[in-house]
Structure formats: structure tokens, C-alpha cells
């Protein structure tokens, strides 16, 4: 059995060893594998998945995906004839493959962000199910190689609310995709646990008295807050319903911080906030579409042929056409992920530095941009306000103040966020957990509780 954090930014797996959760090393990726996938063609994902399924699962899958498998076979033949690789890559290697040829192949980051999206067609749901299954298959293979045994039971983390406008309908859609994918690749028993609750379970192991804990889990795709009654007596229970005093959650997370920083920190060098020859400002819509890597509609619009013509006209009308030309380069070479990744890496670097310079000379020769913490804070003011509202809502629902605030998630490493939280809770202790590992550890504890003690060979 495992605790499986299928995260928006990273995936991690834990097992219980001597009554403590231990995060596994997943081959060359280490304890965390980025939630990314690269395929030389989108059409071959289904074929890779079919090839890597257990033989007993293949007939049913072949029947369900006959047309897609046939289309993929055609794409595979073309790749072989053109001398291109046919395998999928995951994690950092997926990003490397994308950056090597961004206008070729199919790259997706954080597919979890899309699972609750409204208006998905059946074939889109199937594609996301296959993408998730391929990623889960890769993680499961790495896990079993590390453990030297098969794994068939998993507790998987989930946000309180997935991205989507239809509330529980969006949540059901996302959970169905995750469940189908997990069972397809060989997890025979699958349970889900709220990610902030799981993070709280890990913190609970350190408590000696009953404590009201506000867990703030700032994940890659969502921020979730839970007010939990925790302590040694509660930890012994298998039904924690009465201890979960409140929940709140929204699609605002690390990815949104990256996108906001890309828009307001990087895109001015691509013409955002510049002027037309008429004296009017350059329309901002294309810039927002360019960096909205978690929005299918926006990305489709940005990469449309109509938008090429629109950007070419803007260049002719702009006071600084050389800046707009950079945006057209992003469009033609499909560099949205490149720009947002630059913002993400800058966000991480600003944890230890107050300012830095990034190099985007691969987009335009000699292009460098100066970024700093103050700019990051200003760029993300709307996201910070959304997190404030979630914390306030969780406290109001619970009808009580927390004794302690426990914060986890990769974005929690940012000094900007730490300062922001200190301002919100000036008289309440704030505990910063393992930025990436708290959720995985809590999921592992819950897996051990509901599936029984782990039996090793």
C-alpha cells in the first residue's frame, strides 16, 4: 500500500517503515517527480499506455480505444520514418524534451488542473484519463522497482475542489478520471483523502494535547484550508468526520502565482503595457492567453491562426513593434510553457535572493529581464487576497479561532508568502511543514490506517 500524492506540480509516494512514513526515491527523479509529460505526438500516448498495461487489462482497453489506437499506430509509423523517438518522457526529462523543440511534439504540465474543467467533450475526458494513467503507470513502475514488490492499494490526495464551474459535478468528473486511471494501471483498491486533511494528519503526530489546527495547503493548482480538531485521542480514530470542523478551497495555487508573475513580471518586455501609435494601450488579452497554460480555451485562442493575423496587425500599429515581435515568436514557436517556467524558476530563486536577472535570449537575442521580490508580491496580490478569503471562510465555518496555523505546499517556501501569513495571524503560532512532503506523509499514514499494517517481504 502507498500514499500517493498525484500533485499539480509534483508526484510523490510514501510507505510506512517502522511506524513512520517514508517518501520513496523514484529512480533518477528522487523523491519528487514533476507532473509533466512529453510525447512526440499526442496521438501516441494511448499506444504507450496500452503497451505498458498488464496483459490482462489490454483486451478491454483495446476495445474501448480502438479508433485512438489505430490513429496512434499511424502516428508511430510517421515518427519512425522521420527518425523521431516514439517513447514518452516524464518529469524533468519531459521539460528538457519540450525545451529542445518547443514547436514539436506534445507537452503537458499539471494535467490535474484540467480534470474538473467544464465543457470537456467525451474524447477530451478520455485523453486526460490516458494522460493521467500514463503518468500513474510510470510512478507505479518506479515505486515497485524501489520496493521490489507489487503495489495494489493506494490512498490518493485530492483538493477540496477541483478547477471547474459546476461544483460537485466538476469534482465527480475529476475523481472519476483519477479512479479510472489508477485502476487501469493496476491499483485494485483506491481511496481518496483531502490534501489539507492529510497534511494535518502528519502534523497531528507531533501533538500531545487536543488542538484546533487551521491547515493551509497551498498546492500547485489549488489552495485548500481545513479547520481540524487534532490530538492523540483523535489520531487513534478511523472515522474523523466529527473532527473536520470546516473546509474551504479554490483553484488558486502555485501555478497561478507563476502565471501572474509571468504576466506582470515578464510580459511587459513583450509589449504588455506599451502603446499603439494612436496613443491607446496595447490590448492585453493576448498576453493573458499566452501565459494561461492551465486554461484550454485561452491556449486554443492564443495559438489560433486568427490570433497570428491579429498579432501581425498589432506589430504594424505598435509604437514599439520589436516588443510585440517577441510575443509573436512565443505564439509561432509555442513557447507558453517556456515563459511560465521562467517565472516559476524565478519565483523559486527569489526564496534565497531578493532580485535576479533571467535570460530569455532563446526567444530574442540578448533579451534579459530583471525581477525582484517586491515585483513578485505586487504581481500576485490577487492570489494572496484569494488565500486570505479562503482562510477567513474556513474560520467562519468552524465558528472558532485556530490554536495554530499549519502551512504546507511548495509556494509556502516563499518569503513573500511567509510575510503575508504573519500579517494575517499576528497572535497565532504559524508552523511551516515539509513544503512538499507533508501531504504525502499524511496520505501514507491514512493508507496504513485503513488498509492495515504494511507487510514487507
Amino acid at each position: 500500500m502507498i500514499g500517493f500524492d498525484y500533485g499539480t506540480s509534483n508526484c510523490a509516494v510514501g510507505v510506512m517503515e517502522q511506524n513512520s512514513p517514508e517518501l520513496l526515491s523514484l529512480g533518477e527523479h528522487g523523491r519528487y517527480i514533476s507532473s509533466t509529460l512529453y510525447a512526440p505526438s499526442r496521438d501516441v500516448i494511448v499506444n504507450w499506455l496500452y503497451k505498458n498495461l498488464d496483459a490482462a487489462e489490454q483486451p478491454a482497453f483495446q476495445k474501448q480505444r480502438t479508433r485512438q489506437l489505430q490513429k496512434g499506430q499511424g502516428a508511430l509509423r510517421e515518427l519512425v520514418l522521420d527518425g523521431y523517438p516514439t517513447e514518452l518522457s516524464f518529469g524533468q526529462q519531459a521539460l528538457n524534451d519540450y525545451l529542445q523543440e518547443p514547436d514539436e511534439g506534445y507537452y503537458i504540465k499539471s494535467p490535474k488542473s484540467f480534470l474538473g474543467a467544464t465543457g470537456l467533450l467525451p474524447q477530451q475526458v478520455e485523453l486526460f484519463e490516458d494522460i493521467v494513467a500514463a503518468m500513474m503507470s510510470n510512478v507505479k513502475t518506479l515505486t515497485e522497482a524501489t520496493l521490489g514488490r507489487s503495489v495494489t492499494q493506494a490512498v490518493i490526495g485530492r483538493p477540496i475542489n477541483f478547477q471547474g464551474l459546476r461544483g460537485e459535478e466538476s469534482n465527480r468528473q475529476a475523481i472519476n478520471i483519477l479512479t479510472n486511471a489508477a485502476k487501469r494501471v493496476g491499483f485494485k483498491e483506491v481511496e481518496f483523502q483531502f490534501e489539507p486533511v492529510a497534511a494535518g494528519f502528519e502534523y497531528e503526530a507531533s501533538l500531545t494535547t487536543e488542538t484546533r489546527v487551521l491547515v493551509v495547503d497551498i498546492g500547485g493548482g489549488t489552495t485548500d484550508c481545513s479547520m481540524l480538531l487534532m490530538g492523540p485521542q483523535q489520531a487513534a480514530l478511523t472515522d474523523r468526520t466529527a473532527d473536520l470542523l470546516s473546509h474551504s478551497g479554490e483553484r488558486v495555487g502555485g501555478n497561478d502565482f507563476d502565471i501572474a508573475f509571468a504576466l506582470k513580471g515578464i510580459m511587459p518586455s513583450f509589449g504588455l503595457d506599451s502603446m499603439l501609435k494612436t496613443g491607446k494601450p496595447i490590448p492585453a488579452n493576448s498576453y493573458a492567453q499566452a501565459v494561461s497554460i492551465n486554461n484550454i480555451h485561452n491556449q486554443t485562442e492564443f495559438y489560433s491562426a486568427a490570433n497570428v493575423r491579429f498579432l501581425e496587425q498589432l506589430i504594424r500599429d505598435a509604437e514599439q513593434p520589436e516588443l510585440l515581435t517577441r510575443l509573436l515568436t512565443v505564439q509561432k514557436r509555442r513557447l507558453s510553457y517556456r515563459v511560465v517556467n521562467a517565472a516559476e524558476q524565478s519565483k523559486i530563486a527569489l526564496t534565497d535572493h531578493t532580485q535576479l536577472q533571467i535570460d530569455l535570449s532563446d526567444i530574442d537575442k540578448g533579451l534579459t529581464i530583471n525581477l525582484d521580490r517586491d515585483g513578485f508580491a505586487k504581481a500576485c496580490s490577487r492570489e494572496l487576497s484569494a488565500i486570505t478569503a479562503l482562510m477567513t471562510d474556513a474560520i467562519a465555518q468552524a465558528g472558532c479561532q485556530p490554536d495554530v496555523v499549519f502551512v504546507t505546499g511548495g509556494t509556502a517556501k516563499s518569503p513573500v508568502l511567509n510575510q503575508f501569513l504573519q500579517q494575517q495571524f499576528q497572535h497565532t503560532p504559524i508552523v511551516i511543514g515539509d513544503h512538499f512532503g507533508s501531504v504525502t506523509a499524511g496520505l501514507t499514514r491514512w493508507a496504513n490506517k485503513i488498509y492495515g499494517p504494511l507487510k514487507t517481504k
Side-chain angles (χ1 to χ4, degrees), residues 277-312:
K277 293 173 184 176
T278 60
K280 294 181 179 180
I282 292 286
N285 194 42
S286 287
Y287 294 94
Q289 291 174 345
V291 297
S292 296
I293 59 172
N294 58 357
N295 187 303
I296 297 172
H297 175 74
N298 280 356
Q299 288 280 279
T300 301
E301 289 292 311
F302 181 68
Y303 288 111
S304 67
N307 197 41
V308 175
R309 296 189 294 271
F310 176 69
L311 293 179
E312 289 173 341

Side-chain angles (χ1 to χ4, degrees), residues 16 70 114 173 180 223 259:
M16 291 296 286
Q70 290 172 345
F114 300 98
Q173 174 181 284
N180 292 340
T223 292
I259 289 168

Side-chain angles (χ1 to χ4, degrees), residues 393-456:
D393 184 30
I395 292 171
Q397 286 183 43
C400 60
Q401 291 294 319
D403 298 315
V404 64
V405 178
F406 179 71
V407 187
T408 186
T411 305
K413 294 178 69 175
S414 169
V416 169
L417 187 67
N418 285 333
Q419 182 180 5
F420 165 77
L421 290 172
Q422 292 289 347
Q423 292 171 350
Q424 306 304 310
F425 296 98
Q426 297 181 20
H427 305 293
T428 305
I430 297 177
V431 176
I432 306 296
D434 182 340
H435 296 296
F436 292 112
S438 294
V439 171
T440 311
L443 294 172
T444 304
R445 288 185 182 277
W446 194 246
N448 189 59
K449 184 178 291 290
I450 67 172
Y451 291 132
L454 181 64
K455 295 179 175 64
T456 58

Side-chain angles (χ1 to χ4, degrees), residues 113 161-164 221-223 249-253 255-256 259 294:
S113 298
N161 289 306
F162 290 84
Q163 176 181 339
T222 58
T223 292
E250 187 180 324
R251 193 213 59 76
V252 54
N255 283 355
D256 298 281
I259 289 168
N294 58 357

Side-chain angles (χ1 to χ4, degrees), residues 57-111:
E57 298 289 331
Q58 288 180 334
F61 184 70
Q62 185 176 30
K63 186 176 180 180
Q64 292 175 357
R65 300 283 197 273
T66 300
R67 185 181 62 81
Q68 293 93 325
L69 286 165
Q70 290 172 345
K71 188 176 181 181
Q73 283 296 336
L76 284 169
R77 284 192 294 270
E78 288 185 18
L79 289 168
V80 171
L81 286 172
D82 293 338
Y84 287 105
T86 59
E87 289 296 308
L88 307 189
S89 54
F90 304 89
Q92 183 62 41
Q93 187 58 50
L95 177 61
N96 294 344
D97 290 344
Y98 160 72
L99 292 177
Q100 186 173 347
E101 291 188 280
D103 51 350
E104 299 288 342
Y106 178 79
Y107 175 78
I108 185 166
K109 176 185 178 181
S110 310

